[in-house]
């Protein structure tokens, strides 16, 4: 029997964006309060959290006070400075653990890890300079994508190389950051599995969703995804293998390319994931509560869906559609409380209920 | 076209208990922040609200500052002192309005109102002293229930009169408070309708739920309720009549006794209601969001349910069942963040999904 945090316990969340916001709401359902740690002012999670610390990840006194006030620490994004985590983990448990963070913070380490456990990925090669890049292009061919090893998200930190002549411009675009060249994958569509693993090693997956991106940002996720029964089984087994190997605790997003040669892992995210937002209106226990259950040592929800859903992200000015969407009786609206609708900024999402689970 | 509060607006909520807590969470989904006003320390709603004022309802400076910080005021319970409301309504709109509060704060006014619009209630008579009570018993007969006109909830402020000889003890139990004697109603079961009316006069009802009480406190609500098609229609029309007559804005709980002679109104509550908690896991838009939509001038959700649900209240020590309930894959847990499990105290509830809507 593993330790189970009792109602009244405090969950510390590193990062105060929309994921922290929705985690805090889910934690409240289980009787927990949340303490958000976020360097930026007026974070969305602060609207629905009991405590908020506004301080940098370099502020050791603030980190110490934060750790002292919570029972367990989790995070809403994977790019937290290692120094902060090194310090915090001497004070309180961090879930998911450092191993998953180390792997997912670095595209090279991630791909090597995935290959190491027998999963398929795009062809890849480390690129630190123009000589590496020339060799990588020779080996992998074009088209290919040069990506920074660290800190990339929503298509940022990437440059396409359609032909070897694009190499110089791509390197310049990444401004000398350590990078990895990834071969193009010929895929029919992308799906993601939102998987969870509890403190006792139990795993549970939500049904895979099918993702469509626009301008490098997730646009829609539709459930169910187009997958054969065997692909569905492969997706779930593959996700469980990743979680078990990492001795993972919490929810992880696993993005997969569907190809005639099988499922190819695009990337893993050691946190709740945009492509899992549909669970809020499609499942009894959503991905946010599932994550809180895992980090609090509770039994997991089982991931069954009761409804088919299409999740649509509201990016930038899309938020102007809210009055019209509010009239649509099949739509649930989820806004993030962000004041300014900048281009490319995730302002909210809507879940359209398509009908009972098929 | 009515005014529609835009995301970023602030909802003021009088009362910081579990209803205010769940209203605050619902408001966050629509991009609103909440400011809670509550005299008691460490209120459950404060865990998930952006702002909290701890002050009495007599503190005019605090009330003024509260009103100045919000765009609209609503409340989680009907027993707010009239003086506070008189003051607040000079500063900001209060929804639902004063008419509904005046009616529902006083059992005598409520019954007179309901009779006045042609609805059935229990036989009743005003009781201010022992002479009134003797006359009322003569008229109504026994068994009957003596109830305080104001401030009653969860079976408090009530005394049963099984025979005329019980009259003196019943009066003593109410300690001289203005009261009303209600005749017993022979009913087969109790149902409640959670109804909503928007700022533009649109109404929407959730499906009626069937309530079972224990020790005067709601124990379970089961959806669907046992009702014939015509009873179901009657229930919805009756609720709409109440809301329309009061020019109501928000969610109201309408408790009905089912009898061979038709539906008899037990009481109305001008707020979200314990018997509507099932909507959190049975409907796309729950009663809390429905209420926020109404007070913010948004279109209402339509109230259809996607699932059949049994809601079970966790009272006092019932909260010790949480670890076992967490293992049940058909159960969603909703805890209120209260530190101490006193007898009779509502600590949380669970919604058991019985299956797809039948």
């Amino acid at each position: 029997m593993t330790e189970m945090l009792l109602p009244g316990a405090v969950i510390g969340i590193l990062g105060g964006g929309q994921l922290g916001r929705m985690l805090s709401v889910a934690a409240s359902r289980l009787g927990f309060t949340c303490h958000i740690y976020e360097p930026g002012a007026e974070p969305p999670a602060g609207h629905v959290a009991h405590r908020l610390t506004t301080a940098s990840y370099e502020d050791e006194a603030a980190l110490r006070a934060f750790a002292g006030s919570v029972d367990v620490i989790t995070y809403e994004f994977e790019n937290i400075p290692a120094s902060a985590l090194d310090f915090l983990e001497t004070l309180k448990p961090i879930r998911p653990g450092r191993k998953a963070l180390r792997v997912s913070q670095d595209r090279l380490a991630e791909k090597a890890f995935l290959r190491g456990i027998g999963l398929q990925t795009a062809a890849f090669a480390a690129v630190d300079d123009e000589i590496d890049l020339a060799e990588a292009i020779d080996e992998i061919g074009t088209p290919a994508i040069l990506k920074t090893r660290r800190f990339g998200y929503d298509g940022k930190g990437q440059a396409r190389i359609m032909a070897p002549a694009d190499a110089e411009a791509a390197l310049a675009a990444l401004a000398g950051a350590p990078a990895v060249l990834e071969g193009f994958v010929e895929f029919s569509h992308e799906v993601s599995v939102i998987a969870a693993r509890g403190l006792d090693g139990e795993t549970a997956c939500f049904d895979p969703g099918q993702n469509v991106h626009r301008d490098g940002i997730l646009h829609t996720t539709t459930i169910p995804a187009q997958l054969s029964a065997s692909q569905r089984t492969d997706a779930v087994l593959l996700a469980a293998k990743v979680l078990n190997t990492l001795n993972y605790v919490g929810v992880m997003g696993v993005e997969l390319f569907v190809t005639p040669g099988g499922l190819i892992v695009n990337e893993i995210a050691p946190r709740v994931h945009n492509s899992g937002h549909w669970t809020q209106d499609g499942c009894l226990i959503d991905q946010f509560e599932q994550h809180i259950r895992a980090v609090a040592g509770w039994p997991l929800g089982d991931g069954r869906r009761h409804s088919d859903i299409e999740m649509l992200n509201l990016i930038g000015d899309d938020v102007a559609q809210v009055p019209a969407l509010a009239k649509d009786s099949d739509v649930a609206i989820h806004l993030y409380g962000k004041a300014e609708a900048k281009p490319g900024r995730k302002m909210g999402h809507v879940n359209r209920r398509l009908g009972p689970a098929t």
Side-chain angles (χ1 to χ4, degrees), chain A residues 61 81 85 99 107 117 127 151-153 181 206 209 245 323 356:
Chain A
L85 297 166
K99 193 170 172 189
R107 289 184 194 279
I117 61 172
V127 172
F151 305 122
Y153 70 98
L181 186 72
F206 293 103
T245 307

Side-chain angles (χ1 to χ4, degrees), chain A residues 232-244:
Chain A
R232 207 170 291 270
T233 304
D234 284 353
V236 167
L237 290 178
L238 173 167
K241 191 170 194 177
V242 171
L243 270 63
N244 285 326

Side-chain angles (χ1 to χ4, degrees), chain A residues 269-319:
Chain A
R271 52 169 168 80
V272 289
H273 196 261
N274 195 164
S275 67
H277 290 359
W278 69 271
T279 58
Q280 293 173 311
D281 296 293
C283 300
L284 192 61
I285 307 300
D286 68 18
Q287 68 163 346
F288 302 99
E289 181 172 332
Q290 190 77 305
H291 185 78
I292 297 292
R293 282 175 171 245
V295 303
W298 284 40
L300 301 179
D302 76 356
R304 275 177 303 173
R305 77 182 191 280
H306 55 68
S307 299
D308 288 353
I309 302 281
E310 183 195 73
M311 189 285 305
L312 169 74
N313 267 340
L314 301 176
I315 309 287
D317 289 340
D318 291 350
V319 77

Side-chain angles (χ1 to χ4, degrees), chain A residues 38-117:
Chain A
E38 162 65 46
E42 275 293 319
H47 298 171
V48 286
H50 193 213
R51 291 188 64 187
L52 168 65
T53 292
T54 304
S56 86
Y57 288 119
E58 281 74 48
D59 185 338
E60 207 165 277
L63 289 169
R64 183 186 302 279
F66 170 76
S69 75
V70 305
D71 294 290
V72 65
I73 297 170
T74 188
Y75 44 86
E76 61 146 21
F77 76 130
E78 56 270 42
N79 291 322
I80 297 153
S83 59
L85 297 166
D86 288 343
F87 182 66
L88 289 171
E89 76 177 349
T90 65
L91 302 170
K92 283 289 155 64
I94 299 179
R95 296 176 190 148
R98 297 299 299 281
K99 193 170 172 189
L101 272 171
R102 268 192 295 271
V103 163
S104 60
Q105 281 183 338
D106 181 338
R107 289 184 194 279
L108 186 66
E110 183 176 311
K111 289 217 158 26
F113 163 76
L114 294 167
R115 289 282 182 102
I117 61 172

Side-chain angles (χ1 to χ4, degrees), chain A residues 17-37:
Chain A
Q18 64 266 20
L19 301 180
R21 175 180 174 97
M22 294 183 278
L23 285 168
S24 185
V25 164
S28 80
R29 285 200 296 271
L30 303 183
F32 300 122
T33 61
C34 287
H35 186 162
I36 306 290
Y37 193 103

Side-chain angles (χ1 to χ4, degrees), chain A residues 160-173:
Chain A
R160 290 193 176 205
I161 298 179
M162 302 309 289
D166 298 339
E168 194 178 344
L171 260 187

